[in-house]
Amino acid sequence: MLKRFYSNTLPLILDADSRHAAKTLRCKEGDKIEVIDGQGKLFEAIIAHIGRNEIQLNDIKLIQEVTNVQLLSIAIAPTKNPSRLEWFVEKATELGIKNIYPIQTKRTEKSSVKEERLNNIIISAIKQSKQLYLPTLFPLQSFEEVIRQTQSISQKFIAYCADNPVRLQNIFQNDKEVIVFIGPEGDFTTDEILLAQQNGFVPISLGNSILRTETAGVYVTGLIRMLLG
Amino acid sequence: MLKRFYSNTLPLILDADSRHAAKTLRCKEGDKIEVIDGQGKLFEAIIAHIGRNEIQLNDIKLIQEVTNVQLLSIAIAPTKNPSRLEWFVEKATELGIKNIYPIQTKRTEKSSVKEERLNNIIISAIKQSKQLYLPTLFPLQSFEEVIRQTQSISQKFIAYCADNPVRLQNIFQNDKEVIVFIGPEGDFTTDEILLAQQNGFVPISLGNSILRTETAGVYVTGLIRMLLG
């Protein structure tokens, strides 16, 4: 089985992935490899030259091309413990997601996310799960800003810990894009929930037992994977 | 909100949880706390005495009693990286599970699991997700032994990476106990799959993209949570 790489700079593979190649995978010039562009294309190529920070490819052949089937975007607050957000990002990528929006809420405990680290986790996860589309990780933005940016998505949901009979699986429409906002540790404030509802977001429940933020995110991603069959 | 503890040795709280109480939570004698027994009962009690390795309670009052609603057992091979199994155990407990069977398969990369550590993760997770039943973590056993032990469960499934149209959500029956075997890194062998089928296990697929062992386990747990509403 050929080793698989990611590059959005073909015929070059740059940075982390090229160092990874040269060192960990012990690739050498003349090796045939697989490359994904993160936009639905899978190539085979030959390593022409291995530099310190880039790999030069030639004989690049398109092997497979798919269109993105992912409909799900999730807006989620960074967790106090960054490894929990990293777990969410890895698992959501494996299960299938289109966009991840880290959000600042009133009760978010973090003011920054390690975007490069998270993007490397996403790249490893699509290679490992053999997907051809790279989910988009947006920069950390305010709750209000992401509400605004996702206006046009036809199915908009906000999940929080109130008594709430509505289950996502009972109202999700299979063929339409969907965004789900996941509450932070300490949950959304009443003002945030109100603002979301004023912008067409439907409140949903994720079930009876209380879920951690990252668990709720992975649960919703799995649920949509299941509903899309 | 009262601090919540676990004890199956009432009126004493022993070991990890008592040290945790005394040190981290700075509990003192006379404090009122919540205690769960892991068997469906929630109590309130007063701390009578804090020893080095145990807390003595009195005025123990039964506040709530529920019967176990969990139907799901999962048999899963320990992952090469133990933190991945720990993550599965935490998330499966949050989402709701009855039994966890660590299994030795031909391609399992670990020959042991840290049972005490995993049980502490389970206890933290039920306290955090406000559940009253403690999932049972079985010792690491052979694939064949767990196949034998789970004979009587009415819905038996084995998930692996073959092309397989059958989806769990299409054949799961809501009111019956269910066990799902999750393949190790490298998947089950043909012999293992055959043995499972000879014992009434139905092969299922978890979807198109490849899932890591622990992701498959959490996905199945979430799926059953969803199907049970």
Side-chain angles (χ1 to χ4, degrees):
Chain A
M1 200 172 73
L2 297 177
K3 290 162 185 166
R4 180 169 289 201
F5 299 84
Y6 163 78
S7 173
N8 57 0
T9 55
L10 289 171
L12 294 179
I13 302 174
L14 299 176
D15 310 328
D17 232 37
S18 60
R19 280 194 296 277
H20 176 64
K23 289 178 185 163
T24 319
L25 300 178
R26 295 208 194 76
C27 288
K28 55 186 192 314
E29 291 164 10
D31 287 356
K32 182 190 261 189
I33 61 169
E34 286 181 339
V35 188
I36 57 175
D37 67 352
Q39 299 305 312
K41 293 198 178 73
L42 170 66
F43 303 93
E44 281 182 7
I46 303 296
I47 295 177
H49 173 74
I50 298 179
R52 178 169 297 175
N53 290 315
E54 86 293 333
I55 294 178
Q56 175 95 46
L57 303 174
N58 59 25
D59 293 346
I60 300 175
K61 293 192 190 67
L62 179 64
I63 299 299
Q64 188 188 352
E65 182 167 7
V66 301
T67 52
N68 198 351
V69 296
Q70 305 306 345
L71 297 174
L72 175 66
S73 297
I74 284 186
I76 190 166
T79 48
K80 189 174 183 177
N81 173 348
S83 73
R84 294 188 173 274
L85 180 64
E86 290 165 11
W87 271 113
F88 162 73
V89 165
E90 178 181 295
K91 298 317 175 196
T93 302
E94 277 181 67
L95 289 163
I97 191 165
K98 187 176 182 187
N99 299 309
I100 298 171
Y101 295 92
I103 48 172
Q104 276 285 1
T105 72
K106 282 264 181 340
R107 297 181 183 143
T108 301
E109 306 191 35
K110 288 273 179 184
S111 56
S112 68
V113 295
K114 295 206 176 96
E115 277 186 60
E116 190 189 353
R117 182 174 165 83
L118 292 172
N119 273 311
N120 289 336
I121 289 169
I122 291 173
I123 289 168
S124 308
I126 59 165
K127 287 191 291 183
Q128 191 271 338
S129 59
K130 301 269 183 260
Q131 297 181 68
L132 301 186
Y133 268 91
L134 191 72
T136 302
L137 175 74
F138 285 79
L140 183 63
Q141 301 177 96
S142 72
F143 177 88
E144 296 73 12
E145 176 56 27
V146 178
I147 290 273
R148 209 184 52 65
Q149 277 178 32
T150 55
Q151 254 326 316
S152 64
I153 296 179
S154 60
Q155 303 189 86
K156 300 191 284 288
F157 302 107
I158 181 165
Y160 57 92
C161 301
D163 285 340
N164 177 351
V166 182
R167 297 280 196 268
L168 181 53
Q169 61 267 31
N170 299 334
I171 51 178
F172 174 70
Q173 294 171 286
N174 233 312
D175 51 351
K176 298 209 178 82
E177 286 225 0
V178 54
I179 177 148
V180 182
F181 273 58
I182 304 292
E185 295 163 45
D187 215 345
F188 291 118
T189 63
T190 314
D191 289 355
E192 288 168 335
I193 292 163
L194 217 63
L195 180 70
Q197 290 186 266
Q198 286 159 356
N199 285 270
F201 281 74
V202 177
I204 55 167
S205 162
L206 300 181
N208 299 324
S209 70
I210 293 158
L211 302 179
R212 285 178 176 275
T213 299
E214 76 281 5
T215 314
V218 172
Y219 174 61
V220 165
T221 313
L223 199 149
I224 298 294
R225 175 190 179 91
M226 192 281 284
L227 293 171
L228 294 177
Chain B
M1 201 170 73
L2 297 177
K3 290 162 186 167
R4 180 170 289 202
F5 299 84
Y6 163 77
S7 173
N8 58 0
T9 56
L10 288 170
L12 293 180
I13 302 174
L14 299 176
D15 310 328
D17 231 38
S18 60
R19 280 193 296 277
H20 175 64
K23 289 176 186 164
T24 319
L25 299 178
R26 295 209 193 75
C27 289
K28 55 190 191 314
E29 292 165 8
D31 287 357
K32 183 191 260 189
I33 59 169
E34 287 181 339
V35 187
I36 56 175
D37 68 352
Q39 299 305 313
K41 293 198 179 73
L42 170 66
F43 303 93
E44 280 181 6
I46 303 295
I47 295 178
H49 172 74
I50 298 179
R52 177 169 296 173
N53 290 315
E54 86 294 332
I55 293 178
Q56 176 94 47
L57 302 174
N58 60 23
D59 292 346
I60 299 175
K61 294 192 189 67
L62 180 65
I63 300 299
Q64 188 188 353
E65 182 167 8
V66 301
T67 52
N68 198 350
V69 296
Q70 304 306 345
L71 297 174
L72 175 65
S73 298
I74 284 187
I76 191 166
T79 49
K80 188 173 183 178
N81 173 348
S83 72
R84 294 187 173 274
L85 180 65
E86 291 166 10
W87 181 85
F88 161 73
V89 165
E90 177 181 295
K91 297 319 176 196
T93 302
E94 277 181 68
L95 288 163
I97 191 166
K98 186 176 182 187
N99 299 309
I100 298 171
Y101 295 92
I103 48 172
Q104 275 285 1
T105 72
K106 282 263 180 343
R107 296 180 183 144
T108 301
E109 305 191 36
K110 288 272 179 182
S111 56
S112 68
V113 294
K114 296 206 176 100
E115 277 185 62
E116 190 189 352
R117 182 175 166 82
L118 291 173
N119 273 311
N120 289 335
I121 288 169
I122 291 173
I123 289 167
S124 308
I126 59 165
K127 287 191 290 183
Q128 190 272 338
S129 59
K130 301 271 185 255
Q131 296 181 69
L132 301 187
Y133 267 91
L134 191 72
T136 302
L137 175 74
F138 285 79
L140 183 64
Q141 302 176 95
S142 72
F143 177 88
E144 296 72 13
E145 176 56 26
V146 177
I147 289 273
R148 209 185 51 68
Q149 277 178 31
T150 56
Q151 254 326 316
S152 64
I153 296 180
S154 61
Q155 301 189 87
K156 302 191 283 289
F157 302 107
I158 181 165
Y160 56 93
C161 300
D163 285 339
N164 177 352
V166 182
R167 298 279 194 269
L168 181 52
Q169 60 267 31
N170 299 335
I171 51 179
F172 174 70
Q173 295 171 283
N174 232 313
D175 51 349
K176 298 209 179 80
E177 286 225 0
V178 54
I179 176 148
V180 183
F181 273 57
I182 303 292
E185 295 163 45
D187 215 345
F188 291 118
T189 63
T190 314
D191 290 354
E192 287 168 336
I193 293 164
L194 217 62
L195 180 70
Q197 289 186 266
Q198 287 159 357
N199 285 270
F201 281 74
V202 177
I204 54 166
S205 162
L206 300 182
N208 299 323
S209 70
I210 294 158
L211 302 179
R212 285 178 176 275
T213 300
E214 76 279 6
T215 314
V218 171
Y219 174 61
V220 165
T221 313
L223 199 149
I224 299 294
R225 175 191 179 90
M226 194 281 287
L227 293 170
L228 295 177

